[in-house]
Amino acid sequence: MHGALKCYWTFFRDATRLRSVGKEILMRVQIKLFSVLRDYVSDYDPQKGVTADLSAGATVSDMLSHLGIPMSKVPVVICNGRILQATDTIQPDSTLHIFQPVAGG
Amino acid sequence: MRFIRINMSSQEIRVEPVPSQYLGLGGRGLISLYINDHVPPTCDPLGPDNILLFAPGLLGGTQLVNTSRIAVGAKSPLTGTIKESNAGGTFGDAAGRLGITAIIIEGRANQDQSWLLKVDLEGEARLVQANEYKGMRTYALAEALFKSYGSHNAIMCIGPAGEQMLHAASIQSTDTKRRPCRAAGRGGLGAVMGSKGLKAIVLDSGGRATDAIADPEAFEKAAKDFARAVRNNPFSGDVMPKFGTAGLVAPVNSMGGFPSYNATKGVFEGWEKISGEHMAELMAKRGGKTGSQGCSKCAIQCSNEFVDAGGKYVTSSLEYETIWSMGGMPGIDDLDTIAKLDFLCDDLGIDTMSTGVGVAVAMDAGYKSFGDGQAAIDMVEEIAKGTELGRVLGNGPEAVGKYFNHPRVPVVKGQSISGYDPRAMQGNAVTYATSPMGADHTAGNVVAEYVTGKLDPLKTEGQVAASRRHQILMAVVDSIGLCVLASHVLSTPEGRQAFIRAINAKLGVALELTSLTELGIRILKAERAFNRKAGFTKKDDRLPRFFYEEPLPPHNTVVQISDEDMDKTFEF
């Protein structure tokens, strides 16, 4: 996609998502996706990850539905080395890593 | 149901029915009980009194998916403990199809002789002089043996490291593409095979003499349900086929538990360059393969074929533990270098984990700089040359630490930890410390409990119980011949039920889950009994001091499980 067009598209996509959140106070978080979860964000850039603007007080669950990642994928969210629960509140400016579950191998 | 017993001192071969006390056992369970009964606990692991066993799991040779592991066992020259190490590939299935319960190697051939054992389609076993293969690396050896005996065979063999009886030598197993790239890597069992004068075992893989199934109809139904559970599981059905075990690099680093720079940091700066996601991307571009089949009867397809920038084969299969030991530990963030090191270790027949950790210990001691990939390759090549440094490295990280007089050596009972730092995952501290096998990544890995939010990895609560549960479960899994990656479906009701139904249909019994727990406990008790007789006490069930004293960034925690709690692990 052409640079300017991509930029416009990203803005449009985010604006759409913000409207769907429907809250006035927003916070920006940085998200990195792993394994097949990358397929949920079109043109996902593994180096940069993706940013999302969430309503203040958004939970892990809210963030996952914002990204369109279904719970059937059993996503695991890690922030600062700690695994978050679905009901945990996300802090502003967090960097979140999202995986599918893993076990030893 | 038979034992093939080989006396290497006299080259006598006897085929015997399985004695009643070992009926209904397979894999690790059979091996551990047999060794505890028959191997003198204080014997020299490389002497004639040690016994080397190869045993498919109880369901090896059946149609149940992912049950083609081959368990190998003896008294370990690396740890001095009882040892079971299992490998994938095609050998376990071939052994099961020939109706072999165990191949038992006793005695020791004259040191100037080398032999190979051939078992044909009728189950006839014979020893063949193998002096022409002496000193051969495993890839060339496998190629020569497939040429001589045909592609319808499965091979387990040793390379130069095993012949040199180095304490970290592996036994390599051929995969579905006839490459000797699967390893019974841990515990130096390749050295035991070398000490016996046995270079290779070649089994016909087309046998039709699998032990009878008591209720074939019920077995078939259970096998179908189990296969469905494996395929529907997000880990074995989604993550593993696409990324293989390398898919663990990202989450373990994100959890701060990836031991790096000889276990001085919990996050490796270059981890995204050595992740499973990056490898999959790279292989897609270069024409390599991910999601390929390495083992017989596999429903997961976790294997990969790593190719270089020119599309030429480098190694198979590049796994998480090797990416950790050859990447994070020596600080190497280049998958091409790691792949070369993996191939080199497979070809020489030496454990990638012990070797990578040994390189990291040497680097930490100042011998070379962290991150120097060429230095790592040169060091591993020394093993092939049989130089002083090569012999030290080939004898494992503890030998390297002693040689360089360096105290930070991440081993328990002489065997290196795996790619989960015990300070960031306290339950794995318990498993490393107490496993009768020495530190081991498959003896009872607690990581799944953390990822699913059942347990906080940094707190002490619940860790001993979790380690106990997983150690018992793995003793069972390794006895059935089930792949650890498929074993995770046992945490689901449908997977667990199908698995128990398959065992019941096979044996014509009506076991409950508790019976399997009892089996696991029986195995662990036998292993610990052997270790006690070999001189091990609870003081050996401890981690090296630095894990209790040096905080690991980013969580800056140390191992906090008390000695008293460690000692409660086997209070069954």
Side-chain angles (χ1 to χ4, degrees), chain A residues 40-81:
Chain A
Y40 286 91
V41 173
S42 56
D43 295 332
Y44 180 79
D45 180 339
Q47 259 80 46
K48 291 182 188 158
V50 63
T51 54
D53 291 309
L54 306 173
S55 56
T59 62
V60 167
S61 255
D62 297 335
M63 184 267 298
L64 292 169
S65 34
H66 178 80
L67 289 172
I69 296 174
M71 294 312 279
S72 61
K73 288 284 168 187
V74 209
V76 177
V77 180
I78 301 183
C79 181
N80 291 329

Side-chain angles (χ1 to χ4, degrees), chain A residues 32-36 38-39 46-47 72-74 76 78-83 85 97 99-105, chain B residues 234-235 238-239 242-243 248 250-251 254-255 271-272 277 281 321 420 441 445 447-448 450-451 456 458 485 488 555:
Chain A
K32 284 212 162 191
L33 299 169
F34 296 92
S35 71
V36 296
R38 288 179 172 177
D39 300 344
Q47 259 80 46
S72 61
K73 288 284 168 187
V74 209
V76 177
I78 301 183
C79 181
N80 291 329
R82 304 308 306 267
I83 292 161
Q85 305 298 313
H97 290 185
F99 305 90
Q100 282 189 285
V102 293
Chain B
F235 176 69
D238 226 0
V239 182
K242 294 197 173 71
F243 306 101
L248 288 154
S254 296
M255 289 171 76
W271 68 264
E272 293 201 55
E277 288 80 359
E281 217 175 282
E321 297 296 348
Y420 310 87
H441 65 301
N445 192 343
V447 68
Y450 307 138
V451 172
D456 184 331
L458 302 180
L485 303 181
H488 299 301
H555 297 300

